[in-house]
Amino acid sequence: MLKHLYDTDCVTWSPQGKLFQVEYAMEAVKQGSICLGLKSNENVVLCSLKRQPSELAGYQEKQFKIDDHMAIAIAGLTADARVLCKYMRTECLEYKYTYESHHPVGRLVFKVAEKSQHKTQSGAKRPYGVGLLVAGIDPNGVHLFETCPSGNYYEYKCQAIGSRSQAARTYFESWFHLFEKSTLEQLILHGLSAIKKAIMEDEELNEKNVEVGILGKNLKFTHLNAQELKDYIAKLETFSPNSQIQQE
């Protein structure tokens, strides 16, 4: 009962020093379907598990292209993600019009984090209930960022967010040292392997419920089509990270 005295807006602190509305937004990210990203020296891969609200509905889109050099994967409220996606696309277009070059990835992530943090400063607003994994490439290299509803952001070699994402992070902790020199195909297989670890036992990974986006120094952001996904999922049966170690 005490908690409800302090969760009517996002500017009232509880006696324990918490902002419950921000924590609720963070919980929305944890309840979203899993998405993950991992990068090498030249490529970055985003993998997402798509949900189907009902048998009569299609699968929800989990990845959005921002520009040729940048894309996002989302966990949480899709409506909030679309607002941030539109903002990021507008910023990229304005930057390209002004400077005739791609928007630096880190600078745009900072703008998104600042926009998210502003939502926690007014009692008339609420935090965005979505977390983003931002994949991008600029002159400074290959990047993978995570943004939070609280306004925090971090850069990672690999990261997973959403429901049951801890299983994927455990997989990454075991094999992330291989990613730096991995080929694009190996990165995709690592990403699919991590997603497979995170799904329910009665779920099956197939080309309909998984989404994979790829981006490289010489490759604009693209999604793998259904046949390519089917081929990669078939390769999972024989794929082993240990074999990659032996090759090296």
Side-chain angles (χ1 to χ4, degrees):
M1 181 63 69
L2 182 64
K3 179 183 291 187
H4 297 298
L5 299 175
Y6 301 97
D7 67 351
T8 54
D9 58 55
C10 57
V11 295
T12 302
W13 295 83
S14 73
Q16 292 77 30
K18 296 181 179 180
L19 291 173
F20 288 120
Q21 285 289 329
V22 176
E23 293 200 358
Y24 296 159
M26 300 287 285
E27 188 63 29
V29 177
K30 294 179 182 178
Q31 297 296 327
S33 58
I34 183 174
C35 64
L36 57 87
L38 59 162
K39 68 173 186 174
S40 66
N41 288 332
E42 297 187 350
N43 302 292
V44 58
V45 172
L46 295 174
C47 297
S48 308
L49 189 66
K50 299 189 291 186
R51 282 180 176 170
Q52 191 179 21
S54 72
E55 293 183 1
L56 301 178
Y59 289 92
Q60 289 185 322
E61 189 177 3
K62 291 280 291 178
Q63 296 180 15
F64 301 94
K65 178 181 177 181
I66 303 301
D67 202 347
D68 288 339
H69 74 298
M70 195 185 312
I72 61 173
I74 67 166
L77 300 180
T78 305
D80 287 2
R82 291 187 182 278
V83 172
L84 291 176
C85 177
K86 182 179 180 180
Y87 169 75
M88 295 174 75
R89 286 172 175 171
T90 301
E91 288 295 312
C92 283
L93 284 172
E94 290 180 354
Y95 190 92
K96 187 179 292 185
Y97 179 79
T98 304
Y99 300 104
E100 297 183 354
S101 63
H102 290 310
H103 200 302
V105 181
R107 193 180 304 177
L108 183 55
V109 170
F110 171 78
K111 290 180 181 178
V112 172
E114 190 173 38
K115 186 177 178 69
S116 298
Q117 202 276 332
H118 285 169
K119 290 288 187 177
T120 68
Q121 292 181 323
S122 171
K125 299 178 181 179
R126 66 164 177 81
Y128 290 113
V130 66
L132 307 181
L133 289 181
V134 184
I137 292 180
D138 59 23
N140 294 323
V142 181
H143 303 283
L144 177 68
F145 287 93
E146 177 197 359
T147 70
C148 303
S150 61
N152 290 322
Y153 69 96
Y154 312 92
E155 186 167 10
Y156 288 93
K157 296 179 180 178
C158 49
Q159 173 65 331
I161 59 176
S163 177
R164 300 175 64 86
S165 58
Q166 182 56 52
R169 288 196 293 271
T170 301
Y171 176 90
F172 285 156
E173 288 169 3
S174 299
W175 305 109
F176 77 94
H177 60 282
L178 299 176
F179 298 165
E180 188 174 353
K181 298 181 180 178
S182 293
T183 64
L184 180 58
E185 179 178 334
Q186 290 170 336
L187 278 184
I188 294 171
L189 291 172
H190 278 297
L192 291 174
S193 296
I195 284 228
K196 193 172 183 179
K197 296 281 186 182
I199 62 176
M200 303 286 286
E201 293 182 0
D202 57 345
E203 284 186 285
E204 182 181 356
L205 202 64
N206 58 56
E207 68 276 10
K208 294 181 180 180
N209 65 3
V210 71
E211 188 174 10
V212 176
I214 55 176
L215 179 65
K217 288 186 176 179
N218 299 313
L219 176 67
K220 296 180 180 179
F221 180 77
T222 55
H223 284 109
L224 298 186
N225 59 41
Q227 185 57 51
E228 290 173 327
L229 286 172
K230 196 172 183 179
D231 293 340
Y232 277 111
I233 291 171
K235 291 179 181 179
L236 285 180
E237 296 181 4
T238 58
F239 175 71
S240 171
N242 290 318
S243 63
Q244 184 178 341
I245 296 176
Q246 294 173 0
Q247 291 175 5
E248 295 179 354

